[in-house]
């Protein structure tokens, strides 16, 4: 199994609106793939389809060679697919450690083991100095890290990161890039949605560009950003000739 | 066979009045996205208001219809403003405003026990100008108070629908029910809208009260029975849907009336609950409800 | 001493006092008052497993008290089964009914669950009030069931004096508190808390929130039914309106809410404060205005929800915390 995620002909209609149309996409194990596109292109819908929030109208999604469309998010998590949310959802009334332990409980019934695992994850993400702080009191950058920590504690094979860079300052973006690269080194395949091009260029092995729910380009970051169609999509027709 | 049709006619009229009580509940939910647990008690307040008004002044129930609902509108408006709004504001961020539910339950408790304290537990009834009147429709007998109730229910539902569609306030209510933040940005004061919605819902409970008093007993916990009925109807018809509330009411009224021709009323109750359970399992959004509303 | 030592010492002291009380308080009247106090504390703590931990509001829980009482009593009266066994059967039936109510409603808005608990509680109560017999089972409608005196023995769950009842309910209370404490620290407790606060985030972390809620509902209903059997054996008489009515359901919920529904000790503290208050106002004010004490109770609920929605235990716990810090040595602070 070299492709951990395979999407074929994925289509999603919301009433009269087609949010995703005949999308083909694959991610090899150990890759970092970025999904980019102008606002409203359908990127979050793709994530939600993969993560089990929506069921596809047409097409198939295969995760680790198993068809997964229609499965519930909690079953997918148990299979090794974790995600973060664009608008972070910490358990604000609880401590940072509690938050990550919730994720860590996935593979154990013992509170002790869950705590150990959570502390290990917090150390990886340099959050352990905040372990007893209420999650609601964290800065936005720390909240984004916490979001990743929670998902990481479930020992995923594939991690979906939804615009984790949004709202971060440049130094924070650099830190986050290092963290995500570190995830890959730990054996996690990463699928990101990102708007911040610097991060996309620095992180991804491959980039897929979608617009109006359809794929318009795919390839290495440098190639994709020079692609005529991509430039047109982001900047409008006049900039197409390059 | 005649008996069954007579029962069906009674059931339709009673059902319309059940629908009327459900109307206020569905309106408040539709606009505020909150289930008002105090609704039955507001109906009880309406019934007692009508009772005392008629008992003390002897006026015709149709006249009471002009007096009681406006009073109840004001009562509901300020109840929402003083007691419920602060909790709403505090729970703005929360996905499920549970404390609002608790507070409305508290209001229910206080109102019912206040009535118990002031009026005692006995069942009361009052003779009105129309109480024993009836007219003939072919071979069937139609009781006047029930028929008036039926008409009042239909008129109220139609009036409410028109209000929501044609008037500025009505459109403000609908806008808030669809997206409260967008409505806020358009200059609609969401809390004033809530006050109005609650006041309206209470006023409708007042109409129901006036309409029921000529032939129904009133006692402090009368609201509970109607509240549960109203909730079943609202689930059946779809939370937030005006035609759904009426239709649901008619269905329940019919079932209740027709089935009690063939079996004891306990089993009719059981059947209604069984249907309720089935709906919950199979199609919880009811006839006209939207899937995402719940 | 350290904070942990202080907490443990105080707990041990409280247990000692509770167990030793019947040696000092010998009047059956006062013992009865204490028994009922613990009875309510037990019911509100069992309620808290759903109302506090699962984050939904069951408002018809008294129906499970009734199911427990009716099941064990019918089995005793008509089939000679020991009430202890009947108690377990009642618990299982209650758990089943709770799951049936929860299955469709836990996937929906919290309000649906609330109203369904009320609807089904009243529905079942009204049906029981209107049925004299269900096949071979004698239910007796609104008149309720009377349990005749047998020879007092543990097996028959009947005793000549109040002390055994006192110890039974005290033991049950301690068990349910321990269970609550244990759950709050376990996987299911974490999952319930997460699911209650952010259901989407919880689902993305592998939590089937509805199933977790069902589990806590089943447990809560089971435990509540056990108290029903206890009540039946204590009073030897009960009837639907008194034991399964909304009055009891609301009282249980309100006490837990005023006390503090997320906390472990919240419901107990609520019961210890509110039950005496309710009884007191009922005795002294009911002559003038029957029902006034209930109005006051409702107003207290509204006021607490407006100003301290977490309940009264939170400020009390903060106070205890401040005092404890003054007299303990920091170190093993957690």
């Amino acid at each position: 199994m070299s492709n951990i995620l395979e999407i074929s002909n994925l289509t999603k209609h919301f009433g009269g609106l087609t949010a995703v149309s005949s999308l083909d996409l694959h991610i090899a194990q150990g890759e970092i793939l970025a999904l980019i596109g102008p606002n409203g292109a359908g990127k979050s819908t793709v994530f939600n389809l993969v993560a089990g929030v929506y069921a596809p109208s047409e097409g198939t999604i295969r995760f680790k060679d198993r068809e997964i469309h229609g499965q519930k998010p909690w079953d997918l998590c148990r299979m090794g697919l974790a995600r973060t949310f664009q608008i972070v959802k910490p358990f604000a009334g609880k401590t940072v450690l509690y938050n990550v332990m919730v994720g860590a409980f996935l593979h154990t019934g013992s509170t002790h083991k869950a705590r150990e695992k959570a502390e290990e994850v917090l150390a990886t993400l340099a959050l352990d100095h905040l372990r007893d702080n209420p999650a609601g009191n964290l800065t936005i950058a720390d909240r984004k890290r916490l979001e990743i920590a929670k998902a990481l504690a479930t020992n995923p094979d594939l991690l979906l990161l939804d615009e984790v860079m949004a709202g971060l300052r440049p130094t924070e973006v650099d830190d986050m890039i290092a963290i995500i690269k570190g995830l890959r080194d730990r054996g996690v395949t990463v699928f990101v949605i990102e708007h911040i091009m610097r991060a996309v260029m620095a992180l991804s092995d491959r980039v897929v560009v979608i617009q109006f729910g359809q794929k318009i380009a795919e390839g290495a970051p440098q190639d994709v950003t020079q692609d005529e169609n991509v430039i047109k999509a982001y900047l409008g027709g006049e900039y197409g000739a390059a | 066979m005649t008996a069954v049709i007579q029962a069906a006619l009674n059931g339709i009229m009673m059902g319309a009045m059940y629908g009327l009580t459900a109307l206020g509940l569905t309106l408040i939910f539709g606009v505020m996205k909150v289930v008002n647990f105090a609704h039955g008690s507001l109906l009880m307040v309406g019934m007692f208001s009508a009772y005392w008004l008629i008992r003390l002044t002897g006026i015709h129930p149709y006249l009471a219809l002009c007096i009681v609902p406006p009073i109840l509108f004001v009562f509901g408006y300020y109840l929402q403003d003083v007691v419920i709004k602060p909790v709403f504001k505090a729970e703005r961020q929360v996905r499920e405003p549970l404390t609002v539910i608790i507070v409305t339950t508290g209001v229910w408790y206080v109102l019912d026990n206040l009535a118990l304290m002031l009026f005692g537990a006995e069942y009361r009834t009052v003779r009105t100008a129309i109480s024993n009147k009836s007219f003939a429709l072919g071979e069937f007998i139609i009781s006047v108070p029930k028929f008036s109730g039926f008409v009042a229910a239909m008129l109220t539902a139609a009036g409410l629908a028109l209000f929501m569609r044609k008037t500025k306030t009505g459109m403000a209510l609908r806008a808030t029910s669809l997206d409260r933040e967008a409505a806020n940005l358009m200059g609609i004061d969401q809390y004033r809208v809530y006050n109005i919605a609650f006041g309206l819902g209470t006023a409708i409970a007042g109409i129901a009260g006036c309409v029921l008093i000529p032939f129904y007993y009133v006692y402090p916990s009368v609201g509970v029975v109607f509240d549960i009925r109203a909730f079943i109807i609202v689930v059946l018809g779809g939370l937030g849907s005006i035609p759904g509330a009426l239709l649901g009411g008619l269905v329940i009224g019919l079932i209740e009336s027709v089935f009690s021709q063939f079996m004891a009323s306990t089993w009719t109750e059981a059947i209604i609950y069984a249907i309720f359970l089935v709906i919950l399992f199979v199609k919880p959004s009811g006839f006209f409800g939207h899937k995402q509303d719940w | 001493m350290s904070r942990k030592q202080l907490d443990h010492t105080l707990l041990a002291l409280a247990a000692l006092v509770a167990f030793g009380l019947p040696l000092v308080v010998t009047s059956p009247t006062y013992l009865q008052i204490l028994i009922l106090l613990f009875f309510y504390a037990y019911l509100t703590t069992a309620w808290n497993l759903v109302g506090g931990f699962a984050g939904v509001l069951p408002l018809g829980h008294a129906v499970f008290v009734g199911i427990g009482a009716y099941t064990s009593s019918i089995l005793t009266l008509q089939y000679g089964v020991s009430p202890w066994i009947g108690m377990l059967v009642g618990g299982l039936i209650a758990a089943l009914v709770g799951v049936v109510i929860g299955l469709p409603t836990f996937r929906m808005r919290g309000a649906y669950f609330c109203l369904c608990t009320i609807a089904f509680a009243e529905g079942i109560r009204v049906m029981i009030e209107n049925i004299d017999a269900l096949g071979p089972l004698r239910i007796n409608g609104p008149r309720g069931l009377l349990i005749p005196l047998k020879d007092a023995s543990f097996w028959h769950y009947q005793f000549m004096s109040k002390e055994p009842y006192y110890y039974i309910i005290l033991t049950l209370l301690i068990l349910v508190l321990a269970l609550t404490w244990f759950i709050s620290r376990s996987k299911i407790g974490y999952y319930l808390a997460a699911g209650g606060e952010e259901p989407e985030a919880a689902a993305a972390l592998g939590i089937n929130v509805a199933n977790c809620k069902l589990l806590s509902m089943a447990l809560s209903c089971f435990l509540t039914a056990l108290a029903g059997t206890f009540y039946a054996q204590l009073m030897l008489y009960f009837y639907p309106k008194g034991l399964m009515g909304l009055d009891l359901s609301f009282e249980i919920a309100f006490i837990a809410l005023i006390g503090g529904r997320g906390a472990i000790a919240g419901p107990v503290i609520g019961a210890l404060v509110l039950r005496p208050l309710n009884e007191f106002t009922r005795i002294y004010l009911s002559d003038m205005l029957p029902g006034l004490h209930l109005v006051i109770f409702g107003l207290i609920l509204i006021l607490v929800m407006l100003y301290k929605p977490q309940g009264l235990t939170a400020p009390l716990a903060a106070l205890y915390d401040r005092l404890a810090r003054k007299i303990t040595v920091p170190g093993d602070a957690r």
Side-chain angles (χ1 to χ4, degrees), chain A residues 20-164:
Chain A
V20 177
S21 173
S22 305
L23 183 68
D24 292 322
L25 188 153
H26 66 274
I27 306 182
Q29 191 172 13
E31 253 197 314
I32 297 182
L33 178 76
L35 181 64
I36 68 175
N39 275 325
K43 309 188 290 293
S44 280
T45 311
V46 171
F47 258 27
N48 282 329
L49 285 163
V50 174
V53 175
Y54 303 139
S57 308
E58 281 167 52
T60 62
I61 306 176
R62 296 178 80 90
F63 174 62
K64 294 204 235 182
D65 265 338
R66 279 176 59 182
E67 288 203 357
I68 62 166
H69 44 273
Q71 296 258 27
K72 298 287 181 198
W74 48 86
D75 289 325
L76 290 174
C77 187
R78 290 198 197 124
M79 285 170 61
L81 196 161
R83 69 162 301 171
T84 64
F85 289 88
Q86 185 177 350
I87 302 179
V88 292
K89 294 174 192 281
F91 306 119
K94 303 285 184 195
T95 62
V96 166
L97 180 64
Y98 194 104
N99 270 260
V100 182
M101 280 173 73
V102 173
F105 266 118
L106 185 65
H107 296 294
T108 174
S110 143
T111 309
H112 184 66
K113 292 216 184 84
R115 183 172 296 128
E116 274 181 356
K117 171 86 187 165
E119 286 173 343
E120 185 196 309
V121 170
L122 283 177
T124 314
L125 289 169
L127 278 175
D128 42 349
H129 60 291
L130 292 172
R131 65 198 292 249
D132 292 322
N133 289 31
N137 290 357
L138 262 47
T139 64
I140 188 72
D142 288 333
R143 281 198 214 195
K144 298 251 171 182
R145 282 201 210 197
L146 177 60
E147 190 82 353
I148 298 182
K150 280 158 59 189
L152 196 60
T154 65
N155 259 354
D157 296 311
L158 174 65
L159 182 57
L160 272 50
L161 295 177
D162 197 344
E163 297 199 38
V164 285

Side-chain angles (χ1 to χ4, degrees), chain B residues 53 57 59-73 210:
Chain B
L53 189 62
T57 66
I59 65 172
H60 194 283
Y62 293 166
L63 214 55
L65 260 175
C66 301
I67 301 180
V68 172
I71 297 178
L72 251 63
F73 177 87
C210 290

Side-chain angles (χ1 to χ4, degrees), chain B residues 239-260:
Chain B
L239 271 170
S241 159
I242 293 177
L246 262 186
L247 192 58
L250 291 173
V251 168
I252 296 288
L254 257 177
I255 292 179
E256 190 187 55
S257 207
V258 170
F259 274 72
S260 40

Side-chain angles (χ1 to χ4, degrees), chain B residues 39-98:
Chain B
H39 196 69
S41 302
L42 296 172
L43 176 69
M44 181 268 298
V45 170
M47 283 178 83
F48 263 111
S49 308
Y51 171 84
W52 284 114
L53 189 62
I54 296 176
R55 170 112 178 247
L56 294 174
T57 66
I59 65 172
H60 194 283
Y62 293 166
L63 214 55
L65 260 175
C66 301
I67 301 180
V68 172
I71 297 178
L72 251 63
F73 177 87
V74 174
F75 180 62
Y77 187 98
Y78 282 105
L79 186 66
Q80 155 71 14
D81 199 49
V82 171
V83 177
I84 302 177
K85 182 170 74 174
V87 186
F88 239 119
K89 282 195 165 163
E91 289 206 311
R92 224 176 358 217
Q93 311 296 347
V94 179
R95 186 174 167 269
E96 282 249 44
L98 227 51

Side-chain angles (χ1 to χ4, degrees), chain B residues 25 29 33-35 37 82-84 86-87 90 95-99 101-103 105-110 113-118 221 224 227-228 231-232 234-235 238-239 265-267 269-270 273-274 276-277 280-281 284-285 292-294, chain C residues 51 55-57 59 99-101 103-105 107-112 114-116 118-120 122-124 126-128 130-131 134 197 199-200 241 246-247 250-251 254 257 261 289-295 297-299 301-302 305-306 309:
Chain B
L25 193 65
F29 178 81
K33 299 288 182 270
V34 150
V35 182
F37 277 69
V82 171
V83 177
I84 302 177
V87 186
R95 186 174 167 269
E96 282 249 44
L98 227 51
T99 316
I101 294 180
I102 300 172
V103 169
T105 311
V107 170
W108 163 2
Y109 197 76
V110 169
N113 284 306
L114 211 53
L116 183 65
M117 191 175 92
L118 294 171
S221 46
V224 180
D227 206 17
I228 296 181
F231 176 63
I232 296 181
V234 158
V235 170
L239 271 170
S265 63
T266 319
W267 298 113
E269 281 294 302
Y273 274 93
F276 181 45
L277 249 184
L280 278 180
F281 272 102
S285 47
Q292 64 265 28
D293 264 349
W294 50 270
Chain C
V56 288
L57 232 46
L59 290 172
V99 166
V100 167
I101 297 178
L103 258 173
T105 52
R107 296 180 267 136
M108 303 185 234
R109 289 176 167 267
Y112 266 78
C114 294
L115 275 160
C116 284
I118 297 178
F120 284 105
E122 281 293 278
I124 293 176
V126 167
M127 261 184 275
I128 289 186
N130 284 310
I131 302 177
L134 192 66
E197 198 161 347
E200 280 167 1
K241 191 87 202 238
L246 282 183
D247 282 336
F250 278 19
E251 191 170 4
F254 286 9
L257 288 165
R261 69 185 219 260
L289 293 165
L292 178 61
H293 68 289
L294 295 172
V295 175
F297 188 35
L299 285 173
L301 175 75
I302 294 179
M305 285 301 116
L306 277 173

Side-chain angles (χ1 to χ4, degrees), chain C residues 55-182:
Chain C
V56 288
L57 232 46
L59 290 172
H61 240 44
V63 75
F64 301 113
V65 180
I67 289 178
Y70 269 98
T71 309
S72 69
S73 303
I74 291 177
L75 284 175
T76 298
L77 290 171
Q78 293 184 243
Y79 299 100
V81 176
S82 160
W84 293 102
I85 299 184
M87 177 177 85
L88 294 173
V89 177
L92 288 173
I93 296 180
L96 192 64
V97 173
V99 166
V100 167
I101 297 178
L103 258 173
T105 52
F106 279 144
R107 296 180 267 136
M108 303 185 234
R109 289 176 167 267
Y112 266 78
F113 173 73
C114 294
L115 275 160
C116 284
T117 56
I118 297 178
F120 284 105
E122 281 293 278
I124 293 176
R125 177 184 70 81
V126 167
M127 261 184 275
I128 289 186
E129 270 184 356
N130 284 310
I131 302 177
D132 254 342
L134 192 66
L137 306 170
R138 257 171 280 127
I139 298 189
N140 239 3
R143 297 180 296 280
L145 293 180
L146 190 66
I147 301 176
L149 281 170
K150 292 192 171 148
D151 16 299
S153 76
F154 188 81
W155 185 246
H156 287 133
Y157 207 146
Q158 280 186 32
F159 310 99
M160 284 280 103
S161 65
K162 295 286 177 193
E163 277 86 357
Y165 289 109
Y166 178 92
Y167 285 114
I168 291 177
I169 191 69
L170 179 58
T171 310
L172 282 174
L173 176 62
I174 291 179
L175 280 175
V176 84
L177 279 171
L179 185 67
T180 307
W181 180 86
F182 184 70

